[in-house]
Amino acid sequence: MRQPEEMMDSTFLGEKRENEIPHGLAHVLWFLVAFVQKVITRYTVHDRNRVLDLQSSSGAVIACTHHSFLDVSFIWCSLGLGHYPRMMARDTLFRKNALISQIMARCGAFPVTRDSADRTSVKRAVKMLKNKEIVCIFPEGTRRGKTTFPPTLHAGAALIARMGKSPLVPACARNAEKVKEEGKFLRCPHVDVYFGNPVYPKDFDFLPKEDRLQGCIWYTMRESFALQEGCKPQEVDMAALFPDSKDFAEVFAQREEEVKHAG
C-alpha cells in the first residue's frame, strides 16, 4: 500500500499522470458525500466553469471563506466527479490515525503546519499548480468564530498562486455553517457554492512590493465574502472581519477611480 507521504507528492488528475494517486476511493467517497449533501441541503453550485476552465490551462488556487467544517466537503464535491481540488489541511488531521491519513491522501489532500513558514507545503502546492491541478486553501487558517484569536488573513495562498503562475478563484459555501450549529439539532438549509472571477497576482504589481501578496489575498477574500454575503465587494467591511490585518479599502477604491478615468 502506498504511504500518505508518497501520495502527497504524487500527481492527481492533472496534466501529467505518471505516478498518479489512485482514483477509486475518491470516486466512491464523492458519490457518498455528494449524495448525502444533496439530500440534506439540495446544494447548488454556481459558476464552477470559472475553475474548470482553468484546469486545462493554468491550474488555480481556490480561496474560500471558512465558517464551518462542512465548507471542505462542499468545495471538494463542487467541481464534479473526477475534478477534485487538492485540499490544503492542517497537519494535525494527518496525525490522528493512519486510516484518516490514508483516506485524506487518497482524496488529494496534503498537510500544512499553521502559523509557520511551511516551505514543504508551499513547494507541493506550487508543483500541483504547474501540473494544472486545482488547489483549495482557506486563507483564514481556521474556522471563523472557533478560536479566541481575531481572524487573520494569511498571504500564503497569494504566494503559492504567484509562484505557480496561476490565478486565485474566490469561493464560498453559503449557509454550510447552518447545517450543524453548536448546541442545535441538524438542519437542512439550502447551501449554495459560489465561485467568483479569477484574480491574478500580477495585477497587484502597482502596490509597493511588500504589500503585493497581502493586497492580493485581501482583495480575493473580499470577493469571497461578497459571494458569502450576497453583496457588492465594496460593501464588505474587511476592517471588521480582519481587525488585525492591513485594510486596503481606500487603496483599491482609489485604484478603481484611476482605472475608470484612464479608460
Side-chain angles (χ1 to χ4, degrees):
M1 181 180 292
R2 295 177 65 178
Q3 296 301 308
E5 291 76 14
E6 178 191 352
M7 288 185 281
M8 292 168 196
D9 292 311
S10 299
T11 62
F12 191 53
L13 301 167
E15 184 177 46
K16 298 177 182 178
R17 309 299 286 263
E18 64 268 15
N19 193 37
E20 193 171 39
I21 300 172
H23 305 157
L25 180 61
H27 291 343
V28 171
L29 286 179
W30 185 91
F31 274 112
L32 290 174
V33 175
F35 174 76
V36 171
Q37 290 182 160
K38 197 70 174 179
V39 170
I40 293 176
T41 70
R42 309 171 309 285
Y43 77 99
T44 305
V45 181
H46 304 266
D47 298 314
R48 80 180 82 212
N49 283 340
R50 288 174 172 169
V51 180
L52 295 180
D53 289 347
L54 295 166
Q55 195 168 22
S56 60
S57 58
S58 63
V61 176
I62 296 173
C64 188
T65 58
H66 204 10
H67 292 78
S68 165
F69 65 93
L70 291 174
D71 295 329
V72 176
S73 61
F74 278 108
I75 294 295
W76 189 76
C77 289
S78 63
L79 300 183
L81 180 66
H83 295 283
Y84 319 120
R86 304 207 56 172
M87 312 297 292
M88 180 183 280
R90 67 176 187 269
D91 59 333
T92 53
L93 293 174
F94 289 85
R95 296 200 298 265
K96 284 185 177 295
N97 63 57
L99 178 60
I100 291 176
S101 181
Q102 184 72 215
I103 291 172
M104 292 179 66
R106 285 182 177 272
C107 290
F110 63 104
V112 62
T113 303
R114 292 192 302 187
D115 301 321
S116 69
D118 191 340
R119 296 182 179 180
T120 299
S121 65
V122 170
K123 289 180 180 178
R124 279 174 172 158
V126 171
K127 182 180 177 182
M128 294 167 189
L129 293 177
K130 290 183 176 180
N131 191 42
K132 299 180 181 177
E133 298 179 48
I134 305 299
V135 176
C136 180
I137 299 175
F138 296 91
E140 295 171 89
T142 189
R143 285 174 289 160
R144 179 166 286 270
K146 298 300 179 181
T147 69
T148 57
F149 300 101
T152 303
L153 267 179
H154 301 280
L159 172 64
I160 289 167
R162 192 175 189 97
M163 292 176 66
K165 296 180 171 58
S166 301
L168 296 113
V169 178
C172 75
R174 187 192 293 176
N175 291 331
E177 71 279 8
K178 295 179 181 178
V179 175
K180 184 62 180 76
E181 296 179 286
E182 189 173 354
K184 295 183 179 180
F185 292 109
L186 186 72
R187 298 171 61 193
C188 302
H190 183 82
V191 173
D192 289 280
V193 178
Y194 288 95
F195 293 105
N197 290 314
V199 176
Y200 293 85
K202 65 181 180 181
D203 291 342
F204 297 85
D205 287 352
F206 71 93
L207 292 171
K209 191 172 183 179
E210 64 273 15
D211 285 339
R212 289 173 187 172
L213 294 177
Q214 198 66 34
C216 178
I217 198 61
W218 186 97
Y219 182 94
T220 303
M221 289 305 291
R222 186 176 69 166
E223 297 285 318
S224 296
F225 276 99
L227 295 172
Q228 181 87 39
E229 298 170 12
C231 65
K232 295 179 180 179
Q234 294 81 359
E235 296 173 351
V236 177
D237 190 348
M238 291 291 282
L241 289 169
F242 300 100
D244 289 347
S245 298
K246 183 173 181 177
D247 185 48
F248 289 86
E250 290 187 11
V251 174
F252 288 124
Q254 181 179 349
R255 179 66 174 177
E256 289 169 6
E257 285 297 317
E258 292 173 355
V259 171
K260 185 192 304 182
H261 290 309

